[in-house]
Amino acid sequence: MTDCLVIIPTYNEIENIEAIIRAVFSLNKEFHVLIVDDNSPDGTSKKVLEMQNEFANSLFLEVRTEKSGLGTAYIHGFKWAIERRYDYIFEMDADFSHNPEDLPRLYRACLNGADVSVGSRYKKGVNVVDWPLYRVLLSYGASFYVKMITGMRVHDPTAGFVCYKRHVLENINLDSVRFVGYAFQIEMKFRAYLKNYHIEEISIIFRDRVKGKSKMNSAIINEAVVGVFMMKMRSLFQKSKF
């Protein structure tokens, strides 16, 4: 029984899912994997079910009835992990934009004192590969905006490659987390920051997905821009909810 669980939310990731699972299980450090699938019509969950015959005690699947957003998928996974007493709980994308070989580095950072470790694209310059310039500028600008509004000194607050110690998630009111898109990543770090947890960034190289389609859209961007300001205001005037 390992103390580490990697949560991977999926929607139409049939092109990536088998490879990403095998990549995690090939690491020297043992990790369990939980796939939270939003009833993908492309058969993602069916492939995971097939692979459970091979990885019966380390690969787990939760299928939700519909596409309900990245944030709620992770909240579902967090609660599942807390119930089963995993000590280190990871977020990772299915599309190989996050390199599974960096998982042990995130783990060691938490093992050595961090409460939250973040795979950061911007800790040492801009470590993004195969993104068009406009996406780099949008992402980097969003990170600067978040730091300015929230006061967090996290270089990559929108990062989705993260390790949480269990006690951090246990002490955050997961049911009060509002964001469901990529701004969810900002809100989780902000809530940890407000509770004075130690957040450490680990520099990684981020690669754009090769297979499958990005889930980014204008609604997600709007949630991040407008929502972050409103989140900061709520944290000032509704402190009990944070």
Side-chain angles (χ1 to χ4, degrees):
M1 177 66 182
T2 181
D3 56 357
C4 295
L5 178 74
V6 181
I7 302 170
I8 305 177
T10 56
Y11 184 76
N12 287 348
E13 291 289 356
I14 191 63
E15 295 174 287
N16 295 304
I17 193 63
E18 180 173 2
I20 196 73
I21 290 171
R22 291 192 183 280
V24 174
F25 288 148
S26 71
L27 299 170
N28 290 330
K29 165 65 183 169
E30 183 183 1
F31 294 87
H32 284 179
V33 174
L34 169 67
I35 305 297
V36 181
D37 185 68
D38 279 359
N39 203 19
S40 298
D42 70 348
T44 298
S45 62
K46 291 181 180 178
K47 172 53 69 174
V48 177
L49 282 171
E50 291 175 12
M51 296 185 70
Q52 283 185 311
N53 293 324
E54 183 178 353
F55 303 108
N57 298 313
S58 53
L59 175 60
F60 307 97
L61 172 66
E62 292 281 292
V63 179
R64 305 196 300 167
T65 57
E66 61 184 4
K67 193 172 187 293
S68 303
L70 180 77
T72 60
Y74 273 126
I75 295 295
H76 185 103
F78 291 159
K79 291 180 177 180
W80 191 96
I82 289 169
E83 286 178 4
R84 288 155 182 82
R85 310 296 292 175
Y86 286 95
D87 291 323
Y88 302 92
I89 301 164
F90 297 76
E91 298 179 355
M92 190 175 75
D93 290 347
D95 60 9
F96 282 94
S97 55
H98 304 141
N99 186 345
E101 292 184 2
D102 289 322
L103 285 168
R105 298 175 61 217
L106 295 178
Y107 170 69
R108 286 194 296 270
C110 283
L111 198 64
N112 292 331
D115 297 301
V116 181
S117 59
V118 177
S120 176
R121 296 164 289 186
Y122 307 127
K123 182 179 180 180
K124 297 179 180 178
V126 178
N127 292 322
V128 177
V129 178
D130 298 329
W131 260 11
L133 181 60
Y134 82 91
R135 284 200 67 180
V136 175
L137 294 175
L138 179 65
S139 176
Y140 193 81
S143 296
F144 178 81
Y145 171 75
V146 170
K147 286 193 289 185
M148 181 179 65
I149 295 296
T150 64
M152 287 193 294
R153 299 275 71 86
V154 177
H155 297 288
D156 194 358
T158 64
F161 197 18
V162 185
C163 174
Y164 294 95
K165 284 184 176 175
R166 173 161 42 89
H167 70 86
V168 176
L169 298 178
E170 287 175 330
N171 288 311
I172 289 175
N173 183 352
L174 297 176
D175 291 327
S176 70
V177 174
R178 291 196 176 189
F179 293 143
V180 297
Y182 285 90
F184 164 82
Q185 304 292 2
I186 301 168
E187 182 171 0
M188 287 297 297
K189 295 179 187 68
F190 185 56
R191 287 175 176 270
Y193 163 77
L194 290 178
K195 291 182 177 294
N196 295 315
Y197 287 122
H198 174 42
I199 303 173
E200 182 174 338
E201 292 184 88
I202 306 300
S203 183
I204 64 164
I205 295 175
F206 179 95
R207 298 183 181 276
D208 196 13
R209 68 162 59 234
V210 174
K211 298 178 181 179
K213 295 182 179 179
S214 172
K215 313 303 189 296
M216 182 67 71
N217 58 45
S218 59
I220 289 171
I221 295 171
N222 182 67
E223 179 189 60
V225 173
V226 177
V228 166
F229 179 78
M230 298 305 297
M231 177 186 70
K232 175 65 175 180
M233 292 300 99
R234 291 198 310 274
S235 74
L236 295 174
F237 298 105
Q238 300 176 9
K239 294 182 178 180
S240 62
K241 295 184 179 181
F242 281 80

